[in-house]
Amino acid sequence: MTPLETLSFDPVAYLALPRVMAALVMLPVLTVLANATAIFSAWATLVLATDVRTADYLSGLRLAFTSFQVVYSLIKAFCFGAAISFVCSYEGYVTEAGAEGVGRSTALAVVIASVSILVLDAIVAAVLAPFIQA
């Protein structure tokens, strides 16, 4: 029996659920931030380092950028956030006491989450491939 169970707290609701919800919300938010940063950085680099005008960059962006790319990246971010949070919450819950147990669980969580991301990436790509426009 864990100390939380002794205090009549549900450990999953108290520890795991907030982490899972945070990952499901914040990984897509970070993805939007990263995409916006990439678009702005590309514009700044292009305008400052070459002779390309802002209007040319924007017209090229309109030609090559589709709304499906945003949806695709958000779906992947949501799936990856779920995988990371589920794996890490589970490994944290079943961790044995002591520094050795924490180290073992941390290493196992990183490996399982990394493999889960690779597998989910392949699955999402296979499912959404028919919708990708060349």
Side-chain angles (χ1 to χ4, degrees):
M1 184 170 274
T2 66
L4 284 175
E5 291 170 334
T6 305
L7 296 170
S8 298
F9 285 115
D10 181 17
V12 174
Y14 189 76
L15 296 174
L17 189 63
R19 286 164 178 76
V20 171
M21 295 305 293
L24 293 178
V25 170
M26 289 312 297
L27 219 57
V29 169
L30 287 173
T31 300
V32 169
L33 181 65
N35 289 343
T37 303
I39 290 170
F40 177 76
S41 299
W43 168 79
T45 302
L46 196 65
V47 168
L48 296 175
T50 65
D51 294 334
V52 177
R53 296 176 300 135
T54 299
D56 295 333
Y57 174 76
L58 291 176
S59 68
L61 188 63
R62 283 188 202 105
L63 288 173
F65 192 73
T66 63
S67 59
F68 178 74
Q69 292 170 334
V70 175
V71 172
Y72 186 68
S73 66
L74 291 176
I75 290 171
K76 288 174 76 169
F78 185 81
C79 292
F80 297 167
I84 292 167
S85 61
F86 286 140
V87 167
C88 293
S89 294
Y90 174 76
E91 286 300 324
Y93 187 71
V94 298
T95 298
E96 296 175 7
E100 184 178 340
V102 171
R104 189 176 309 119
S105 289
T106 302
L108 192 58
V110 168
V111 171
I112 293 172
S114 299
V115 172
S116 299
I117 287 172
L118 290 173
V119 170
L120 282 172
D121 190 31
I123 291 170
V124 170
V127 168
L128 297 179
F131 303 105
I132 297 174
Q133 300 161 353

